[in-house]
Each structure stands twice: as structure tokens, then as C-alpha cells.
């Protein structure tokens, strides 16, 4: 079993101009599957924070329901199509309710799910997915920024299905996974070398060591939130969010 931690904080840029934070995270454990999702709303989309919330909630439900299909299926292109279609269908439903275009709900999507010694990772857009395997921090999927740092693919993009990254494998030797938005990656990912910062392993160790019995406000969670709210937030003007699954010792 894995412990989980996820948190997002509004960036200094959004705070200064009075706009809402656009990062969202969510976690779901059901039927022997643990699913953790993160989404970074597009700065150019009017209601991207709404879309990001929809995507992380629907993403968790999708990974729990379709874990075996995504893990064992032999048609990767079809799996990517199914992922994008499910997320997009939910966004279309919400767009109708809000009376807006679906593009106004644009966001990225990062997710990891674990079950029975296997894992599935899904990544659309920028941000970083990493893990620690056999004591070594590694990047599973780096940012999708095309030619320009401020351009990426969103769940609502026409090319989202073909751009979706899908990874799966055995979780033997994996002690933790970390998802981060591009704001958090300013501190936790080295763009030049394409490697995770040493702090990622430390964060996973803190989550792994959390007590199994949950207090109302556990001390480890307070410490982790302070890291996001101060150190990560002060390194960028963007929103910051991280999501961690760490194996219990």
C-alpha cells in the first residue's frame, strides 16, 4: 500500500491580479486501486480552474474503473483515445451546464494509479511525473512544451489523444511517485538536465513515513503543506501543486 499526499496553492501572480488559482489535485482509493491526479488549468482559459477540478475527479474515477484495461490492453492508441474521450466527454457535459465553450475549461492532466504490484501513468501537457526506483529518482514523463516554454497540450486540444503519454509496468522496487505542475517544477525539476531535484526523494520519504492512523491534522501533512506554500511558491509566480504516492515501509 502507498500513502498519499496532494496539495495545491495559488501562485503569487494570480494573487496579485486577483484571479483564482488554477491547479487542482485529487485522490481516490477503491477496489484495490489507488489513483492520484493533478491538473494545471490553462492561463488563457476563462474557467480553467473548473475544468481542472473536473479532470482530476473524473480522472481518478476513470483510473479506478479502467485500471486493468489500461494496464493489460495491447492497443496503446486505443487506450489513449479512451482516456481523452472520457475526460473530454465529462468536460463537454460541464461546459453545457455552465453555458460556455469546452475550451474555456482547458487544463493539463497528470495521473498515476497503482494496484497489485502494477502501475499506470498518464500525462497530457506540461508538468512532470517522476518516481524513485531502487533508490534512484527518475523522470517518467517530462514537460510537453513543443517549441515554446509557454505552449503545451491540454485535454481539450484537438491533438490531445495522440499527445497523451501512457506508461505502465511493475511497481517492484518503486518507493514513490511524484506529480508536479510546471509551477512546482521550477523547484523540483532541472530543465537543463531533465532530472528530478533531490528534494523529491525527501518529500516521498516524508509521505512514506506518515502514520497509518490518520489524525485530523497530521504533523507530516502540515510540514509538507508549508513546503508547498512557502519554498515552492516563492520560487515562481505560477500556481504550485504536487501529488505523491509513497510506499509504506
Amino acid at each position: 500500500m502507498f500513502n498519499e499526499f496532494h496539495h495545491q496553492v495559488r501562485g503569487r501572480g494570480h494573487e496579485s491580479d486577483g484571479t483564482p488559482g488554477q491547479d487542482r489535485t485529487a485522490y481516490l482509493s477503491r477496489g484495490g486501486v489507488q489513483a492520484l491526479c493533478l491538473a494545471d488549468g490553462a492561463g488563457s482559459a476563462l474557467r480553467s480552474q473548473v475544468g481542472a477540478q473536473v479532470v482530476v475527479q473524473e480522472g481518478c474515477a476513470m483510473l479506478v474503473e479502467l485500471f486493468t484495461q489500461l494496464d493489460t490492453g495491447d492497443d496503446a492508441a486505443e487506450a489513449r483515445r479512451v482516456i481523452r474521450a472520457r475526460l473530454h466527454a465529462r468536460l463537454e457535459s460541464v461546459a453545457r451546464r455552465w453555458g460556455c465553450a469546452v475550451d474555456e475549461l482547458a487544463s493539463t492532466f497528470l495521473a498515476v494509479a497503482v494496484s497489485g504490484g502494477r502501475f499506470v501513468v498518464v500525462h497530457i501537457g506540461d508538468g512532470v511525473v517522476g518516481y524513485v526506483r531502487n533508490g534512484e529518482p527518475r523522470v517518467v514523463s517530462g514537460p510537453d512544451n513543443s517549441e515554446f516554454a509557454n505552449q503545451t497540450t491540454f485535454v481539450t486540444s484537438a491533438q490531445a489523444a495522440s499527445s497523451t503519454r501512457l506508461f505502465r509496468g511493475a511497481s517492484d522496487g518503486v518507493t514513490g511517485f511524484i506529480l508536479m505542475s510546471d509551477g512546482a517544477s521550477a523547484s523540483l525539476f532541472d530543465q537543463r538536465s531533465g532530472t528530478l531535484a533531490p528534494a523529491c526523494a525527501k518529500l516521498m520519504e516524508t509521505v512514506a513515513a506518515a502514520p497509518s492512523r490518520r489524525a485530523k491534522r497530521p504533523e507530516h501533512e502540515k510540514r509538507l503543506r508549508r513546503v508547498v506554500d512557502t519554498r515552492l511558491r516563492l520560487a515562481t509566480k505560477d500556481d504550485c501543486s504536487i501529488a505523491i504516492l509513497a510506499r509504506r515501509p
Side-chain angles (χ1 to χ4, degrees), residues 52-73:
Q53 186 64 50
V54 170
V55 160
V56 294
Q57 291 177 331
E58 185 67 16
C60 283
M62 172 185 66
L63 286 167
V64 165
E65 294 170 21
L66 303 182
F67 182 88
T68 300
Q69 176 183 330
L70 296 175
D71 179 40
T72 61

Side-chain angles (χ1 to χ4, degrees), residues 19-67:
T19 55
Q22 296 165 325
D23 283 9
R24 294 292 186 272
T25 57
Y27 169 76
L28 179 64
S29 177
R30 192 171 67 206
V33 180
Q34 293 176 267
L36 190 62
C37 296
L38 181 153
D40 181 353
S44 58
L46 187 60
R47 295 177 174 85
S48 65
Q49 74 275 12
V50 176
Q53 186 64 50
V54 170
V55 160
V56 294
Q57 291 177 331
E58 185 67 16
C60 283
M62 172 185 66
L63 286 167
V64 165
E65 294 170 21
L66 303 182
F67 182 88

Side-chain angles (χ1 to χ4, degrees), residues 74-127:
D74 56 7
D75 189 338
E78 174 62 13
R80 290 192 293 267
R81 188 199 65 77
V82 167
I83 291 167
R84 196 270 181 169
R86 170 128 178 198
L87 296 176
H88 199 268
R90 182 71 181 120
L91 288 170
E92 287 179 326
S93 174
V94 171
R96 287 193 295 271
R97 190 164 72 244
W98 278 77
C100 67
V102 71
D103 287 347
E104 293 181 26
L105 306 175
S107 77
T108 64
F109 179 65
L110 297 80
V112 60
V114 295
S115 180
R118 301 284 298 176
F119 73 85
V120 171
V121 166
V122 183
H123 188 186
I124 301 173
D126 57 22

Side-chain angles (χ1 to χ4, degrees), residues 1-247:
M1 290 290 291
F2 288 75
N3 290 333
E4 58 83 20
F5 169 79
H6 59 98
H7 182 54
Q8 70 272 330
V9 62
R10 184 169 64 153
R12 294 182 295 129
H14 286 152
E15 187 175 73
S16 65
D17 61 22
T19 55
Q22 296 165 325
D23 283 9
R24 294 292 186 272
T25 57
Y27 169 76
L28 179 64
S29 177
R30 192 171 67 206
V33 180
Q34 293 176 267
L36 190 62
C37 296
L38 181 153
D40 181 353
S44 58
L46 187 60
R47 295 177 174 85
S48 65
Q49 74 275 12
V50 176
Q53 186 64 50
V54 170
V55 160
V56 294
Q57 291 177 331
E58 185 67 16
C60 283
M62 172 185 66
L63 286 167
V64 165
E65 294 170 21
L66 303 182
F67 182 88
T68 300
Q69 176 183 330
L70 296 175
D71 179 40
T72 61
D74 56 7
D75 189 338
E78 174 62 13
R80 290 192 293 267
R81 188 199 65 77
V82 167
I83 291 167
R84 196 270 181 169
R86 170 128 178 198
L87 296 176
H88 199 268
R90 182 71 181 120
L91 288 170
E92 287 179 326
S93 174
V94 171
R96 287 193 295 271
R97 190 164 72 244
W98 278 77
C100 67
V102 71
D103 287 347
E104 293 181 26
L105 306 175
S107 77
T108 64
F109 179 65
L110 297 80
V112 60
V114 295
S115 180
R118 301 284 298 176
F119 73 85
V120 171
V121 166
V122 183
H123 188 186
I124 301 173
D126 57 22
V128 178
V129 181
Y131 67 2
V132 172
R133 186 166 215 152
N134 299 323
E136 181 183 348
R138 305 179 186 178
V139 172
V140 179
S141 183
D144 174 11
N145 291 123
S146 184
E147 298 180 54
F148 305 100
N150 62 346
Q151 293 184 1
T152 192
T153 304
F154 300 112
V155 174
T156 53
S157 301
Q159 71 275 24
S162 60
S163 296
T164 298
R165 301 173 185 177
L166 176 63
F167 305 88
R168 58 193 184 182
S171 59
D172 299 343
V174 176
T175 52
F177 296 87
I178 185 167
L179 316 175
M180 65 186 82
S181 65
D182 60 343
S185 73
S187 299
L188 299 176
F189 176 69
D190 188 323
Q191 292 279 356
R192 287 175 293 182
S193 64
T195 58
L196 298 178
C200 291
K202 294 293 186 181
L203 292 170
M204 293 184 208
E205 289 171 7
T206 300
V207 176
S212 56
R213 294 186 66 181
R214 294 297 301 269
K216 186 174 182 179
R217 290 185 178 273
E219 188 58 37
H220 78 280
E221 190 168 297
K222 293 178 185 176
R223 293 198 306 270
L224 289 166
R225 285 175 177 262
R226 281 196 296 269
V227 170
V228 180
D229 294 346
T230 56
R231 296 183 189 177
L232 302 190
R233 183 173 181 268
L234 292 177
T236 178
K237 290 187 176 181
D238 201 358
D239 298 336
C240 291
S241 57
I242 63 171
I244 296 171
L245 284 180
R247 192 185 297 274

